[in-house]
Amino acid sequence: MRRPWRMLLAVALVPSCHTDHATAPPPPSGDSTKVVLAADVPIPPYYGMHDSFIRNGVAFICAWDSGVFIYDVGNGMKGGTPTAPVLISSIVTSQDSVTAGPSVHNAWWFWNPVTRQQKYLFVGQEGPAVGGIGVGSSGDIHVVDVSDLTHPVEVGQFHLPGAGTHNFWMDEQHQILYAAYYNGGVVSIDVSGTLAGDTLSDRLISEVYPGGGPGNTYTWGVQLYNGSLYAIDMLSGLWQLSADSAGHLAVVGGGNNVSNHYSSDLGVAGGYAYTGTWDWSRRTGKQGSVVSTWALNGSGAPTLVDTIPINQVSAISDVKVSPDGKLLMFGTEGGGNSGFYFYSLANPAHPAYVDKYLVATGIHTTKFAAINGHLYAFGAKDPSGPALIILDVTVLDQ
Amino acid sequence: MGAGTSQAQAPSVQVGAQAIPVVTETNAVPGGRAFGETRLVQPMVMVRAATGAERLVLQATGDFEGLTIKNGELTPGAWGEGFSDRRHPHTYLHEFMLFAPDILRDLPLPAHLFLGAGKGFVPFGTDDPMSRPTERFPVNHHLSQILERAQAMAGISVGPAKLEGAVFNGDEPQRPDQWPNLSRFGDSWSLRLTLEPMSGLEWEGSRAHVRSPETRDVGGVDASKWSTALRWDRPVLGRPVYAMLEWSQTQDVGAFTLRSVLFETQVSAGAHHPYFRIERTDRPEDERNPDPFRDQRPIIENSVLGLTRWTIGTLGYLVDAGRVWKIDWRPFTEASLIGIEKVGGGLFDPARFYGAERHWSVTTGVRLSWGMAAHRMGRYERMTGGEMVMPMESR
């Protein structure tokens, strides 16, 4: 091909390679003017607080080697409120086969609609990243019987050889636990009936590798939405998986769609998915982190429609949508703009900044909880001085 | 006050001081640009106080790097205590060990028993890089030495063999004014066996288990450590020759394994001391905070982005320039060629981060010292007067 033709072809191809999406302005400087700090609860520094799960006024605080702390934050059983949480009990899950200790990372309190039991708490253990982040992982799922919240008891573990667990989602109706498993991709586990012992490995239903396996699979999180399971993979981006009522998984769309950054968490609601980036290691020369908005088309496949740049941070480490779908929240860490961020989803395709609450050491994970007519944001404050931060964000959710 | 190191019958106090003004230029920095700076490194005051006949000895070292290199010393490949590509400053109270060098001295036994407690060098691995020929620290410092810990140690020597052991706190310091976490005292241990079949030839083999060294309040991975080394320090053809070959390994349990091989030598001819060091050492690449020379601390869950392998060859030359105002002046210059490779499949890409895989570094400075000769740090035992001195010292 002669040079002029090659140049013309190159010029013609440039627009088709360009991704056409909006870019929102970065949030304004300055701190919160609207949200109210409800509580700041110190957590033992071993290493500190990592995540939380809040349901029916009970907060399960995942506190690494200190285990799980169970707080009444409005349930009433101990008189706790979001402004004055009261500790109900705690449990240190077993170290199991993981060398670094209990490493309690995340949790999900399973309300089984079939048995009407609220018996099991699934606890994720994040062990060392074998060979480094992006390569390998370790850590098991621990099953804790919390039928008596004042006396939690560990009753079983799930171990997946060669990989470690990360974030969960549940299809409670069908009694299926979905777990991101980093280099192990995504797994589905049958959690029906009675769970006990170390035999839960027999309950593995399905396992898929978004990205295809080693070198392009390191899955951070999953969320079930509108019949699809969305998986965010640090290396290969946002995927749409099919997940039937029996828990069988297959890759059906998306993927290999985030090339400038490593991906982090996701939140899905109202026909859109929102994903963050993890930039402790810069994938390219781009600074800061990004929250991306993806439209889910008729088949559920994601298309990028908007991005929000967040400067002076090293990661968007959690992304959540409020229960009523009106508010987007994400946590940031590793830089001068670390903290909570809140965006209105009045136009879900283009989130609009409403407020932020800066926390110097960073916020690792965030969760929404509706309690007694108010909307609260729960956050894991990074060390030094790790703590559970609870914000009353009701005023933002209008 | 005296400069001798042999056992004195009367109580004694020896004092010494040292400092090294240096100029370092290198392109082994994030972004790969040439980068230079002038610093005062290793400013230290050393005190050795002994009761009569050295039945009890206090060995203390004050290190003022927290004032002169608050942000570390530009050192390609250096890592640890929250720094990368800069060697961290040591704590102000670098060493404060009280020890009984020879408890069995009055008994007709062939064995010598020594006990010590305080803050100091754990019996593991090889000599501290501060007391070796090359000014810039090797990459393997955190694989081959364990220091600045609160420890209780004991040792016994019989003929050419010596066995030492210690229990200590696993946590590394995070800043110069920080004390060891005493609540963790005893959560880590080490052993070192040394054989000296002839004067000036020494072999050591060491083993240690260090609990959660990089997470002060526990919660991090443990380090399982091994070290072995051969050390030569005696004349060859009438010229003082020092050489050391070491291998060390640290397994961050359940995560990855770091290995190092290092060889260094110095051949002295009168006032002239050319030296050479080559090492190949694996390094973990931690999450860095917005300062590209600093790692995120405290560590939040997993933080290792991958491994790199550093191959550094350093050629240097030091000359004894004499004593002025009771201070010994020893100017030196050293130059390094540096290769950085990615090991395994982690996220960290050294070629992208440093702009290339081949680099260079040059350091010029003057070793200034006064008073007592630098001792072999971390040796809390009887001194016979014939033991090895440090190769950086004049003979």
Side-chain angles (χ1 to χ4, degrees):
Chain A
M1 193 182 294
R2 287 182 297 177
R3 178 165 295 180
W5 285 107
R6 282 193 303 197
M7 291 178 65
L8 278 174
L9 183 59
V11 169
L13 285 174
V14 165
S16 65
C17 295
H18 175 69
T19 304
D20 187 17
H21 66 266
T23 301
S29 59
D31 208 345
S32 168
T33 55
K34 300 168 188 167
V35 305
V36 176
L37 176 65
D40 183 341
V41 183
I43 299 295
Y46 309 115
Y47 83 81
M49 177 176 171
H50 188 278
D51 202 355
S52 58
F53 186 90
I54 307 101
R55 194 168 201 173
N56 196 35
V58 176
F60 298 89
I61 304 303
C62 302
W64 215 249
D65 283 357
S66 299
V68 182
F69 293 102
I70 306 175
Y71 280 95
D72 178 356
V73 291
N75 172 275
M77 68 178 294
K78 288 283 186 179
T81 67
T83 55
V86 174
L87 185 67
I88 300 170
S89 64
S90 65
I91 179 173
V92 180
T93 47
S94 62
Q95 181 169 332
D96 208 358
S97 59
V98 174
T99 55
S103 306
V104 173
H105 172 272
N106 63 309
W108 187 292
W109 187 14
F110 175 29
W111 285 18
N112 190 325
V114 177
T115 64
R116 298 190 179 281
Q117 289 182 321
Q118 299 163 8
K119 184 175 182 180
Y120 295 120
L121 180 74
F122 299 110
V123 177
Q125 174 189 28
E126 180 156 8
V130 181
I133 296 169
V135 181
S137 56
S138 61
D140 295 341
I141 297 173
H142 298 251
V143 184
V144 177
D145 183 339
V146 290
S147 49
D148 178 356
L149 286 169
T150 64
H151 294 96
V153 178
E154 182 169 354
V155 295
Q157 299 92 31
F158 175 86
H159 175 73
L160 185 69
T165 191
H166 202 226
N167 291 346
F168 303 156
W169 196 267
M170 283 204 72
D171 179 351
E172 295 190 329
Q173 181 184 354
H174 296 106
Q175 303 172 96
I176 298 167
L177 174 68
Y178 295 103
Y181 250 88
Y182 281 140
N183 55 304
V186 180
V187 304
S188 54
I189 304 166
D190 172 10
V191 290
S192 62
T194 300
L195 304 175
D198 58 359
T199 60
L200 300 181
S201 297
D202 297 340
R203 289 171 171 265
L204 176 66
I205 301 169
S206 187
E207 184 176 10
V208 296
Y209 295 89
N216 202 37
T217 296
Y218 208 73
T219 310
W220 179 292
V222 288
Q223 182 176 341
L224 198 60
Y225 174 76
N226 204 22
S228 292
L229 186 70
Y230 289 90
I232 186 74
D233 189 280
M234 289 184 74
L235 306 179
S236 58
L238 179 62
W239 295 83
Q240 180 197 9
L241 313 180
S242 64
D244 63 21
S245 60
H248 298 115
L249 297 169
V251 175
V252 295
N256 298 316
N257 45 19
V258 182
S259 58
N260 290 333
H261 299 264
Y262 298 111
S263 295
S264 59
D265 199 37
L266 84 171
V268 190
Y272 291 86
Y274 305 94
T275 62
T277 62
W278 184 93
D279 302 282
W280 287 105
S281 179
R282 302 283 170 194
R283 193 169 198 172
T284 62
K286 291 186 178 298
Q287 297 298 306
S289 293
V290 173
V291 175
S292 298
T293 301
W294 308 78
L296 307 178
N297 65 19
S299 66
T303 303
L304 183 65
V305 294
D306 199 1
T307 57
I308 306 167
I310 306 295
N311 299 321
Q312 294 181 46
V313 299
S314 298
I316 309 286
S317 45
D318 205 343
V319 181
K320 290 292 172 282
V321 177
S322 61
D324 61 9
K326 293 181 178 177
L327 199 59
L328 174 69
M329 169 174 66
F330 50 89
T332 64
E333 59 189 356
N337 284 332
S338 297
F340 296 83
Y341 287 75
F342 302 94
Y343 278 70
S344 167
L345 294 179
N347 179 354
H350 301 288
Y353 172 81
V354 289
D355 205 7
K356 64 184 172 189
Y357 185 89
L358 298 181
V359 177
T361 58
I363 292 294
H364 192 62
T365 54
T366 55
K367 294 290 183 291
F368 278 117
I371 301 171
N372 299 328
H374 283 244
L375 182 66
Y376 294 94
F378 285 62
K381 175 178 175 286
D382 288 332
S384 299
L388 162 65
I389 302 286
I390 305 175
L391 305 177
D392 187 337
V393 297
T394 310
V395 68
L396 306 181
D397 191 46
Q398 306 300 321
Chain B
M1 192 179 298
T5 56
S6 61
Q7 290 178 17
Q9 293 304 309
S12 65
V13 177
Q14 301 170 65
V15 180
Q18 72 162 53
I20 311 175
V22 296
V23 179
T24 295
E25 182 88 11
T26 182
N27 66 349
V29 297
R33 67 196 190 284
F35 185 74
E37 64 182 27
T38 302
R39 294 287 185 274
L40 183 69
V41 303
Q42 302 181 29
M44 298 194 301
V45 174
M46 296 154 283
V47 176
R48 180 184 170 92
T51 62
E54 294 214 332
R55 290 184 183 278
L56 202 58
V57 178
L58 171 67
Q59 196 155 288
T61 304
D63 184 310
F64 304 100
E65 290 181 327
L67 301 175
T68 63
I69 54 166
K70 183 179 177 182
N71 294 315
E73 178 188 2
L74 188 60
T75 306
W79 63 281
E81 302 183 17
F83 287 78
S84 281
D85 304 316
R86 286 183 172 278
R87 197 259 302 167
H88 57 79
H90 288 100
T91 56
Y92 293 121
L93 188 60
H94 190 50
E95 181 183 39
F96 192 89
M97 284 292 295
L98 189 64
F99 60 99
D102 191 1
I103 287 177
L104 306 178
R105 67 197 311 163
D106 298 327
L107 300 178
L109 296 173
H112 302 277
L113 176 67
F114 48 101
L115 300 173
K119 180 185 177 186
F121 292 79
V122 168
F124 175 86
T126 50
D127 291 321
D128 188 77
M130 275 191 187
S131 49
R132 288 161 35 195
T134 309
E135 187 279 324
R136 262 183 277 115
F137 271 42
V139 182
N140 76 4
H141 178 40
H142 281 254
L143 306 187
S144 300
Q145 290 89 33
I146 304 171
L147 57 154
E148 300 192 317
R149 302 304 212 278
Q151 66 167 330
M153 59 86 61
I156 187 166
S157 63
V158 180
K162 179 172 62 182
L163 180 65
E164 303 160 275
V167 291
F168 56 95
N169 62 298
D171 53 295
E172 295 176 342
Q174 297 170 321
R175 55 177 198 272
D177 62 350
Q178 193 171 54
W179 290 91
N181 184 349
L182 294 178
S183 70
R184 292 187 51 189
F185 175 77
D187 69 0
S188 303
W189 58 266
S190 73
L191 286 172
R192 178 167 60 196
L193 176 64
T194 306
L195 300 176
E196 190 175 0
M198 57 188 276
S199 176
L201 177 62
E202 185 180 278
W203 169 85
E204 70 86 15
S206 302
R207 177 83 174 92
H209 187 86
V210 185
R211 177 93 173 99
S212 186
E214 296 190 270
T215 302
R216 180 174 171 83
D217 294 307
V218 194
V221 296
D222 296 356
S224 182
K225 302 171 78 74
W226 296 83
S227 163
T228 185
L230 270 176
R231 188 179 192 271
W232 175 277
D233 194 3
R234 56 182 290 151
V236 175
L237 300 177
R239 296 191 187 284
V241 173
Y242 158 82
M244 195 265 285
L245 174 65
E246 73 171 333
W247 173 89
S248 56
Q249 172 179 295
T250 293
Q251 184 182 28
D252 276 13
V253 179
F256 46 82
T257 300
L258 308 170
R259 294 188 180 89
S260 173
V261 177
L262 181 149
F263 172 76
E264 64 185 21
T265 186
Q266 175 179 280
V267 180
S268 297
H272 305 279
H273 308 278
Y275 55 88
F276 172 71
R277 182 176 76 196
I278 187 163
E279 72 165 321
R280 172 168 284 192
T281 298
D282 299 336
R283 185 179 91 164
E285 297 296 338
D286 258 347
E287 294 172 349
R288 303 199 187 193
N289 71 19
D291 179 342
F293 291 102
R294 301 297 293 271
D295 299 332
Q296 176 67 21
R297 290 292 185 277
I299 290 174
I300 304 166
E301 55 171 359
N302 288 315
S303 63
V304 176
L305 307 174
L307 307 183
T308 50
R309 180 164 296 150
W310 294 68
T311 304
I312 304 181
T314 301
L315 194 59
Y317 169 75
L318 176 144
V319 62
D320 294 323
R323 178 171 295 179
V324 180
W325 305 315
K326 298 184 179 179
I327 296 173
D328 292 319
W329 294 65
R330 287 192 289 271
F332 68 92
T333 188
E334 57 193 45
S336 303
L337 292 177
I338 302 158
I340 315 170
E341 301 171 67
K342 180 176 181 176
V343 179
L347 303 183
F348 189 85
D349 180 354
R352 186 176 68 232
F353 191 77
Y354 293 103
E357 293 182 337
R358 299 284 177 269
H359 301 269
W360 54 266
S361 179
V362 176
T363 296
T364 300
V366 185
R367 289 183 181 271
L368 305 172
S369 59
W370 169 84
M372 68 181 275
H375 54 282
R376 282 191 77 180
M377 285 180 158
R379 310 288 161 157
Y380 307 117
E381 58 200 84
R382 71 194 183 110
M383 303 182 80
T384 63
E387 66 278 346
M388 298 175 178
V389 296
M390 300 317 301
M392 54 167 274
E393 292 298 312
S394 302
R395 292 162 199 268

